Amino acid sequence: YQVLLQEQPENGELHYNLAVCLMALGRLDAAIVHFKTVLAKQPDNIDASNNLAAIWVKKGNHSAAIACYQNTLSACPSDSTA
């Protein structure tokens, strides 16, 4: 994904997929950067918002997690994961 992002830095899907991989590897700070990039381009991306919230919970930043979950509920009020 990193090589592809060099060629396509505006591609939100690549940022999202890289963030998911980084999250799975425990590289949470790096994943945060890419999830934030996705949300800057696609504020209604509930998957990115929920994953970012999960990272904030793991890092103990509950106010940031709540903000992400509120973003999810604004974008999709029926989302049961938020």
Side-chain angles (χ1 to χ4, degrees), residues 34-66:
H34 291 283
F35 281 131
K36 285 184 174 182
T37 300
V38 172
L39 290 168
K41 297 172 187 312
Q42 304 166 351
D44 293 342
N45 187 318
I46 60 172
D47 292 326
S49 190
N50 284 340
N51 282 321
L52 184 55
I55 290 174
W56 288 129
V57 168
K58 285 182 182 182
K59 291 179 72 69
N61 189 337
H62 299 281
S63 61
I66 289 169

PDB file of all heavy atoms in Angstrom, residues 34-66:
ATOM      1  N   HIS A  34      -3.471   7.545   8.942  1.00  0.00           N
ATOM      2  CA  HIS A  34      -4.164   7.166   7.713  1.00  0.00           C
ATOM      3  C   HIS A  34      -5.681   7.185   7.871  1.00  0.00           C
ATOM      4  O   HIS A  34      -6.394   7.584   6.941  1.00  0.00           O
ATOM      5  CB  HIS A  34      -3.654   5.824   7.208  1.00  0.00           C
ATOM      6  CG  HIS A  34      -2.246   5.913   6.717  1.00  0.00           C
ATOM      7  ND1 HIS A  34      -1.926   6.452   5.495  1.00  0.00           N
ATOM      8  CD2 HIS A  34      -1.073   5.581   7.305  1.00  0.00           C
ATOM      9  CE1 HIS A  34      -0.615   6.431   5.340  1.00  0.00           C
ATOM     10  NE2 HIS A  34      -0.078   5.907   6.426  1.00  0.00           N
ATOM     11  N   PHE A  35      -6.192   6.792   9.043  1.00  0.00           N
ATOM     12  CA  PHE A  35      -7.639   6.905   9.254  1.00  0.00           C
ATOM     13  C   PHE A  35      -8.066   8.374   9.226  1.00  0.00           C
ATOM     14  O   PHE A  35      -9.113   8.709   8.673  1.00  0.00           O
ATOM     15  CB  PHE A  35      -8.070   6.256  10.576  1.00  0.00           C
ATOM     16  CG  PHE A  35      -8.174   4.763  10.511  1.00  0.00           C
ATOM     17  CD1 PHE A  35      -7.581   3.971  11.482  1.00  0.00           C
ATOM     18  CD2 PHE A  35      -8.872   4.119   9.497  1.00  0.00           C
ATOM     19  CE1 PHE A  35      -7.676   2.591  11.447  1.00  0.00           C
ATOM     20  CE2 PHE A  35      -8.968   2.735   9.436  1.00  0.00           C
ATOM     21  CZ  PHE A  35      -8.377   1.968  10.415  1.00  0.00           C
ATOM     22  N   LYS A  36      -7.265   9.257   9.804  1.00  0.00           N
ATOM     23  CA  LYS A  36      -7.588  10.686   9.762  1.00  0.00           C
ATOM     24  C   LYS A  36      -7.564  11.216   8.332  1.00  0.00           C
ATOM     25  O   LYS A  36      -8.381  12.063   7.962  1.00  0.00           O
ATOM     26  CB  LYS A  36      -6.618  11.487  10.640  1.00  0.00           C
ATOM     27  CG  LYS A  36      -6.899  11.348  12.115  1.00  0.00           C
ATOM     28  CD  LYS A  36      -5.958  12.241  12.904  1.00  0.00           C
ATOM     29  CE  LYS A  36      -6.287  12.262  14.375  1.00  0.00           C
ATOM     30  NZ  LYS A  36      -5.400  13.178  15.124  1.00  0.00           N
ATOM     31  N   THR A  37      -6.636  10.717   7.526  1.00  0.00           N
ATOM     32  CA  THR A  37      -6.583  11.125   6.125  1.00  0.00           C
ATOM     33  C   THR A  37      -7.859  10.704   5.401  1.00  0.00           C
ATOM     34  O   THR A  37      -8.437  11.487   4.638  1.00  0.00           O
ATOM     35  CB  THR A  37      -5.347  10.524   5.431  1.00  0.00           C
ATOM     36  OG1 THR A  37      -4.175  10.992   6.090  1.00  0.00           O
ATOM     37  CG2 THR A  37      -5.290  10.900   3.960  1.00  0.00           C
ATOM     38  N   VAL A  38      -8.298   9.483   5.656  1.00  0.00           N
ATOM     39  CA  VAL A  38      -9.543   8.995   5.050  1.00  0.00           C
ATOM     40  C   VAL A  38     -10.700   9.891   5.461  1.00  0.00           C
ATOM     41  O   VAL A  38     -11.494  10.339   4.625  1.00  0.00           O
ATOM     42  CB  VAL A  38      -9.834   7.535   5.467  1.00  0.00           C
ATOM     43  CG1 VAL A  38     -11.220   7.105   5.004  1.00  0.00           C
ATOM     44  CG2 VAL A  38      -8.774   6.604   4.922  1.00  0.00           C
ATOM     45  N   LEU A  39     -10.800  10.184   6.757  1.00  0.00           N
ATOM     46  CA  LEU A  39     -11.932  10.962   7.255  1.00  0.00           C
ATOM     47  C   LEU A  39     -11.896  12.418   6.781  1.00  0.00           C
ATOM     48  O   LEU A  39     -12.943  13.045   6.634  1.00  0.00           O
ATOM     49  CB  LEU A  39     -11.998  10.882   8.783  1.00  0.00           C
ATOM     50  CG  LEU A  39     -12.398   9.488   9.287  1.00  0.00           C
ATOM     51  CD1 LEU A  39     -12.173   9.370  10.786  1.00  0.00           C
ATOM     52  CD2 LEU A  39     -13.844   9.180   8.921  1.00  0.00           C
ATOM     53  N   ALA A  40     -10.713  12.935   6.509  1.00  0.00           N
ATOM     54  CA  ALA A  40     -10.614  14.294   5.958  1.00  0.00           C
ATOM     55  C   ALA A  40     -11.198  14.332   4.546  1.00  0.00           C
ATOM     56  O   ALA A  40     -11.781  15.333   4.131  1.00  0.00           O
ATOM     57  CB  ALA A  40      -9.161  14.752   5.946  1.00  0.00           C
ATOM     58  N   LYS A  41     -11.048  13.238   3.816  1.00  0.00           N
ATOM     59  CA  LYS A  41     -11.552  13.157   2.448  1.00  0.00           C
ATOM     60  C   LYS A  41     -12.997  12.640   2.401  1.00  0.00           C
ATOM     61  O   LYS A  41     -13.760  12.995   1.513  1.00  0.00           O
ATOM     62  CB  LYS A  41     -10.664  12.233   1.618  1.00  0.00           C
ATOM     63  CG  LYS A  41      -9.241  12.717   1.466  1.00  0.00           C
ATOM     64  CD  LYS A  41      -8.377  11.655   0.790  1.00  0.00           C
ATOM     65  CE  LYS A  41      -6.929  12.000   0.752  1.00  0.00           C
ATOM     66  NZ  LYS A  41      -6.582  13.317   0.304  1.00  0.00           N
ATOM     67  N   GLN A  42     -13.320  11.758   3.345  1.00  0.00           N
ATOM     68  CA  GLN A  42     -14.631  11.107   3.370  1.00  0.00           C
ATOM     69  C   GLN A  42     -15.166  11.132   4.800  1.00  0.00           C
ATOM     70  O   GLN A  42     -15.119  10.128   5.515  1.00  0.00           O
ATOM     71  CB  GLN A  42     -14.507   9.659   2.904  1.00  0.00           C
ATOM     72  CG  GLN A  42     -13.893   9.467   1.549  1.00  0.00           C
ATOM     73  CD  GLN A  42     -13.495   8.013   1.291  1.00  0.00           C
ATOM     74  OE1 GLN A  42     -13.528   7.167   2.168  1.00  0.00           O
ATOM     75  NE2 GLN A  42     -13.094   7.735   0.066  1.00  0.00           N
ATOM     76  N   PRO A  43     -15.680  12.268   5.254  1.00  0.00           N
ATOM     77  CA  PRO A  43     -16.113  12.384   6.657  1.00  0.00           C
ATOM     78  C   PRO A  43     -17.215  11.413   7.065  1.00  0.00           C
ATOM     79  O   PRO A  43     -17.382  11.124   8.250  1.00  0.00           O
ATOM     80  CB  PRO A  43     -16.588  13.830   6.791  1.00  0.00           C
ATOM     81  CG  PRO A  43     -16.469  14.448   5.459  1.00  0.00           C
ATOM     82  CD  PRO A  43     -15.841  13.501   4.512  1.00  0.00           C
ATOM     83  N   ASP A  44     -17.938  10.883   6.091  1.00  0.00           N
ATOM     84  CA  ASP A  44     -19.021   9.944   6.399  1.00  0.00           C
ATOM     85  C   ASP A  44     -18.581   8.486   6.329  1.00  0.00           C
ATOM     86  O   ASP A  44     -19.420   7.586   6.341  1.00  0.00           O
ATOM     87  CB  ASP A  44     -20.190  10.161   5.433  1.00  0.00           C
ATOM     88  CG  ASP A  44     -20.866  11.502   5.647  1.00  0.00           C
ATOM     89  OD1 ASP A  44     -20.673  12.110   6.716  1.00  0.00           O
ATOM     90  OD2 ASP A  44     -21.589  11.942   4.740  1.00  0.00           O
ATOM     91  N   ASN A  45     -17.292   8.235   6.282  1.00  0.00           N
ATOM     92  CA  ASN A  45     -16.786   6.857   6.215  1.00  0.00           C
ATOM     93  C   ASN A  45     -16.868   6.255   7.616  1.00  0.00           C
ATOM     94  O   ASN A  45     -15.984   6.441   8.451  1.00  0.00           O
ATOM     95  CB  ASN A  45     -15.351   6.835   5.695  1.00  0.00           C
ATOM     96  CG  ASN A  45     -14.847   5.436   5.454  1.00  0.00           C
ATOM     97  OD1 ASN A  45     -15.089   4.537   6.242  1.00  0.00           O
ATOM     98  ND2 ASN A  45     -14.117   5.251   4.363  1.00  0.00           N
ATOM     99  N   ILE A  46     -17.958   5.520   7.864  1.00  0.00           N
ATOM    100  CA  ILE A  46     -18.191   5.020   9.221  1.00  0.00           C
ATOM    101  C   ILE A  46     -17.209   3.918   9.610  1.00  0.00           C
ATOM    102  O   ILE A  46     -16.893   3.772  10.792  1.00  0.00           O
ATOM    103  CB  ILE A  46     -19.647   4.563   9.430  1.00  0.00           C
ATOM    104  CG1 ILE A  46     -20.035   3.440   8.486  1.00  0.00           C
ATOM    105  CG2 ILE A  46     -20.597   5.734   9.292  1.00  0.00           C
ATOM    106  CD1 ILE A  46     -21.391   2.822   8.789  1.00  0.00           C
ATOM    107  N   ASP A  47     -16.702   3.172   8.643  1.00  0.00           N
ATOM    108  CA  ASP A  47     -15.720   2.139   8.976  1.00  0.00           C
ATOM    109  C   ASP A  47     -14.432   2.774   9.496  1.00  0.00           C
ATOM    110  O   ASP A  47     -13.876   2.326  10.501  1.00  0.00           O
ATOM    111  CB  ASP A  47     -15.420   1.262   7.765  1.00  0.00           C
ATOM    112  CG  ASP A  47     -16.611   0.403   7.359  1.00  0.00           C
ATOM    113  OD1 ASP A  47     -17.374  -0.023   8.253  1.00  0.00           O
ATOM    114  OD2 ASP A  47     -16.783   0.174   6.154  1.00  0.00           O
ATOM    115  N   ALA A  48     -13.980   3.817   8.821  1.00  0.00           N
ATOM    116  CA  ALA A  48     -12.774   4.520   9.279  1.00  0.00           C
ATOM    117  C   ALA A  48     -13.019   5.156  10.639  1.00  0.00           C
ATOM    118  O   ALA A  48     -12.166   5.098  11.529  1.00  0.00           O
ATOM    119  CB  ALA A  48     -12.348   5.569   8.263  1.00  0.00           C
ATOM    120  N   SER A  49     -14.185   5.742  10.817  1.00  0.00           N
ATOM    121  CA  SER A  49     -14.512   6.391  12.088  1.00  0.00           C
ATOM    122  C   SER A  49     -14.566   5.384  13.234  1.00  0.00           C
ATOM    123  O   SER A  49     -14.020   5.621  14.317  1.00  0.00           O
ATOM    124  CB  SER A  49     -15.853   7.119  11.953  1.00  0.00           C
ATOM    125  OG  SER A  49     -16.099   7.925  13.066  1.00  0.00           O
ATOM    126  N   ASN A  50     -15.195   4.240  12.998  1.00  0.00           N
ATOM    127  CA  ASN A  50     -15.284   3.214  14.043  1.00  0.00           C
ATOM    128  C   ASN A  50     -13.920   2.615  14.363  1.00  0.00           C
ATOM    129  O   ASN A  50     -13.608   2.354  15.535  1.00  0.00           O
ATOM    130  CB  ASN A  50     -16.261   2.113  13.633  1.00  0.00           C
ATOM    131  CG  ASN A  50     -17.702   2.543  13.766  1.00  0.00           C
ATOM    132  OD1 ASN A  50     -18.018   3.480  14.483  1.00  0.00           O
ATOM    133  ND2 ASN A  50     -18.573   1.867  13.059  1.00  0.00           N
ATOM    134  N   ASN A  51     -13.109   2.375  13.337  1.00  0.00           N
ATOM    135  CA  ASN A  51     -11.764   1.844  13.587  1.00  0.00           C
ATOM    136  C   ASN A  51     -10.904   2.845  14.344  1.00  0.00           C
ATOM    137  O   ASN A  51     -10.158   2.470  15.254  1.00  0.00           O
ATOM    138  CB  ASN A  51     -11.093   1.449  12.269  1.00  0.00           C
ATOM    139  CG  ASN A  51     -11.582   0.132  11.749  1.00  0.00           C
ATOM    140  OD1 ASN A  51     -11.818  -0.802  12.503  1.00  0.00           O
ATOM    141  ND2 ASN A  51     -11.734   0.027  10.444  1.00  0.00           N
ATOM    142  N   LEU A  52     -11.016   4.111  13.978  1.00  0.00           N
ATOM    143  CA  LEU A  52     -10.269   5.141  14.694  1.00  0.00           C
ATOM    144  C   LEU A  52     -10.732   5.214  16.149  1.00  0.00           C
ATOM    145  O   LEU A  52      -9.914   5.319  17.066  1.00  0.00           O
ATOM    146  CB  LEU A  52     -10.423   6.490  14.002  1.00  0.00           C
ATOM    147  CG  LEU A  52      -9.626   7.649  14.575  1.00  0.00           C
ATOM    148  CD1 LEU A  52      -8.137   7.336  14.657  1.00  0.00           C
ATOM    149  CD2 LEU A  52      -9.866   8.914  13.758  1.00  0.00           C
ATOM    150  N   ALA A  53     -12.023   5.100  16.364  1.00  0.00           N
ATOM    151  CA  ALA A  53     -12.549   5.090  17.737  1.00  0.00           C
ATOM    152  C   ALA A  53     -11.968   3.923  18.531  1.00  0.00           C
ATOM    153  O   ALA A  53     -11.584   4.090  19.697  1.00  0.00           O
ATOM    154  CB  ALA A  53     -14.076   5.008  17.720  1.00  0.00           C
ATOM    155  N   ALA A  54     -11.891   2.755  17.908  1.00  0.00           N
ATOM    156  CA  ALA A  54     -11.335   1.579  18.591  1.00  0.00           C
ATOM    157  C   ALA A  54      -9.878   1.811  18.983  1.00  0.00           C
ATOM    158  O   ALA A  54      -9.447   1.408  20.071  1.00  0.00           O
ATOM    159  CB  ALA A  54     -11.455   0.349  17.700  1.00  0.00           C
ATOM    160  N   ILE A  55      -9.137   2.472  18.126  1.00  0.00           N
ATOM    161  CA  ILE A  55      -7.742   2.791  18.465  1.00  0.00           C
ATOM    162  C   ILE A  55      -7.697   3.741  19.640  1.00  0.00           C
ATOM    163  O   ILE A  55      -6.906   3.549  20.578  1.00  0.00           O
ATOM    164  CB  ILE A  55      -7.003   3.395  17.253  1.00  0.00           C
ATOM    165  CG1 ILE A  55      -6.792   2.330  16.182  1.00  0.00           C
ATOM    166  CG2 ILE A  55      -5.656   3.976  17.682  1.00  0.00           C
ATOM    167  CD1 ILE A  55      -6.208   2.869  14.883  1.00  0.00           C
ATOM    168  N   TRP A  56      -8.531   4.771  19.604  1.00  0.00           N
ATOM    169  CA  TRP A  56      -8.528   5.728  20.726  1.00  0.00           C
ATOM    170  C   TRP A  56      -8.878   5.045  22.042  1.00  0.00           C
ATOM    171  O   TRP A  56      -8.311   5.367  23.084  1.00  0.00           O
ATOM    172  CB  TRP A  56      -9.477   6.892  20.439  1.00  0.00           C
ATOM    173  CG  TRP A  56      -9.008   7.849  19.394  1.00  0.00           C
ATOM    174  CD1 TRP A  56      -9.708   8.287  18.309  1.00  0.00           C
ATOM    175  CD2 TRP A  56      -7.731   8.503  19.322  1.00  0.00           C
ATOM    176  NE1 TRP A  56      -8.933   9.152  17.569  1.00  0.00           N
ATOM    177  CE2 TRP A  56      -7.723   9.320  18.180  1.00  0.00           C
ATOM    178  CE3 TRP A  56      -6.592   8.479  20.123  1.00  0.00           C
ATOM    179  CZ2 TRP A  56      -6.628  10.089  17.807  1.00  0.00           C
ATOM    180  CZ3 TRP A  56      -5.487   9.249  19.751  1.00  0.00           C
ATOM    181  CH2 TRP A  56      -5.523  10.044  18.615  1.00  0.00           C
ATOM    182  N   VAL A  57      -9.803   4.088  22.002  1.00  0.00           N
ATOM    183  CA  VAL A  57     -10.136   3.333  23.222  1.00  0.00           C
ATOM    184  C   VAL A  57      -8.908   2.579  23.710  1.00  0.00           C
ATOM    185  O   VAL A  57      -8.569   2.619  24.898  1.00  0.00           O
ATOM    186  CB  VAL A  57     -11.331   2.375  22.976  1.00  0.00           C
ATOM    187  CG1 VAL A  57     -11.482   1.400  24.131  1.00  0.00           C
ATOM    188  CG2 VAL A  57     -12.610   3.167  22.765  1.00  0.00           C
ATOM    189  N   LYS A  58      -8.207   1.895  22.805  1.00  0.00           N
ATOM    190  CA  LYS A  58      -7.001   1.149  23.186  1.00  0.00           C
ATOM    191  C   LYS A  58      -5.937   2.060  23.782  1.00  0.00           C
ATOM    192  O   LYS A  58      -5.203   1.655  24.677  1.00  0.00           O
ATOM    193  CB  LYS A  58      -6.408   0.422  21.975  1.00  0.00           C
ATOM    194  CG  LYS A  58      -7.160  -0.789  21.550  1.00  0.00           C
ATOM    195  CD  LYS A  58      -6.477  -1.485  20.380  1.00  0.00           C
ATOM    196  CE  LYS A  58      -7.286  -2.675  19.928  1.00  0.00           C
ATOM    197  NZ  LYS A  58      -6.638  -3.398  18.841  1.00  0.00           N
ATOM    198  N   LYS A  59      -5.855   3.283  23.277  1.00  0.00           N
ATOM    199  CA  LYS A  59      -4.856   4.225  23.760  1.00  0.00           C
ATOM    200  C   LYS A  59      -5.341   4.996  24.995  1.00  0.00           C
ATOM    201  O   LYS A  59      -4.592   5.789  25.551  1.00  0.00           O
ATOM    202  CB  LYS A  59      -4.482   5.209  22.651  1.00  0.00           C
ATOM    203  CG  LYS A  59      -3.706   4.529  21.511  1.00  0.00           C
ATOM    204  CD  LYS A  59      -3.346   5.480  20.400  1.00  0.00           C
ATOM    205  CE  LYS A  59      -2.279   6.445  20.753  1.00  0.00           C
ATOM    206  NZ  LYS A  59      -0.928   5.923  20.935  1.00  0.00           N
ATOM    207  N   GLY A  60      -6.582   4.751  25.411  1.00  0.00           N
ATOM    208  CA  GLY A  60      -7.107   5.398  26.613  1.00  0.00           C
ATOM    209  C   GLY A  60      -7.631   6.801  26.395  1.00  0.00           C
ATOM    210  O   GLY A  60      -7.907   7.513  27.354  1.00  0.00           O
ATOM    211  N   ASN A  61      -7.795   7.208  25.143  1.00  0.00           N
ATOM    212  CA  ASN A  61      -8.302   8.551  24.841  1.00  0.00           C
ATOM    213  C   ASN A  61      -9.798   8.442  24.563  1.00  0.00           C
ATOM    214  O   ASN A  61     -10.247   8.426  23.417  1.00  0.00           O
ATOM    215  CB  ASN A  61      -7.552   9.150  23.650  1.00  0.00           C
ATOM    216  CG  ASN A  61      -7.882  10.604  23.424  1.00  0.00           C
ATOM    217  OD1 ASN A  61      -8.934  11.086  23.847  1.00  0.00           O
ATOM    218  ND2 ASN A  61      -7.003  11.308  22.740  1.00  0.00           N
ATOM    219  N   HIS A  62     -10.562   8.391  25.638  1.00  0.00           N
ATOM    220  CA  HIS A  62     -11.992   8.134  25.522  1.00  0.00           C
ATOM    221  C   HIS A  62     -12.752   9.307  24.916  1.00  0.00           C
ATOM    222  O   HIS A  62     -13.732   9.095  24.207  1.00  0.00           O
ATOM    223  CB  HIS A  62     -12.566   7.725  26.877  1.00  0.00           C
ATOM    224  CG  HIS A  62     -11.939   6.466  27.398  1.00  0.00           C
ATOM    225  ND1 HIS A  62     -12.307   5.218  26.956  1.00  0.00           N
ATOM    226  CD2 HIS A  62     -10.922   6.267  28.262  1.00  0.00           C
ATOM    227  CE1 HIS A  62     -11.561   4.300  27.547  1.00  0.00           C
ATOM    228  NE2 HIS A  62     -10.713   4.911  28.348  1.00  0.00           N
ATOM    229  N   SER A  63     -12.309  10.520  25.151  1.00  0.00           N
ATOM    230  CA  SER A  63     -13.005  11.661  24.557  1.00  0.00           C
ATOM    231  C   SER A  63     -12.855  11.654  23.038  1.00  0.00           C
ATOM    232  O   SER A  63     -13.805  11.963  22.307  1.00  0.00           O
ATOM    233  CB  SER A  63     -12.512  12.976  25.152  1.00  0.00           C
ATOM    234  OG  SER A  63     -11.130  13.158  24.916  1.00  0.00           O
ATOM    235  N   ALA A  64     -11.692  11.273  22.531  1.00  0.00           N
ATOM    236  CA  ALA A  64     -11.501  11.171  21.082  1.00  0.00           C
ATOM    237  C   ALA A  64     -12.346  10.029  20.519  1.00  0.00           C
ATOM    238  O   ALA A  64     -12.915  10.151  19.432  1.00  0.00           O
ATOM    239  CB  ALA A  64     -10.027  10.975  20.739  1.00  0.00           C
ATOM    240  N   ALA A  65     -12.431   8.925  21.259  1.00  0.00           N
ATOM    241  CA  ALA A  65     -13.251   7.788  20.815  1.00  0.00           C
ATOM    242  C   ALA A  65     -14.719   8.195  20.734  1.00  0.00           C
ATOM    243  O   ALA A  65     -15.402   7.879  19.752  1.00  0.00           O
ATOM    244  CB  ALA A  65     -13.076   6.605  21.767  1.00  0.00           C
ATOM    245  N   ILE A  66     -15.188   8.904  21.732  1.00  0.00           N
ATOM    246  CA  ILE A  66     -16.585   9.360  21.732  1.00  0.00           C
ATOM    247  C   ILE A  66     -16.855  10.263  20.533  1.00  0.00           C
ATOM    248  O   ILE A  66     -17.883  10.138  19.869  1.00  0.00           O
ATOM    249  CB  ILE A  66     -16.922  10.065  23.066  1.00  0.00           C
ATOM    250  CG1 ILE A  66     -16.974   9.030  24.186  1.00  0.00           C
ATOM    251  CG2 ILE A  66     -18.234  10.837  22.962  1.00  0.00           C
ATOM    252  CD1 ILE A  66     -17.036   9.628  25.578  1.00  0.00           C
TER     253      ILE A  66
END
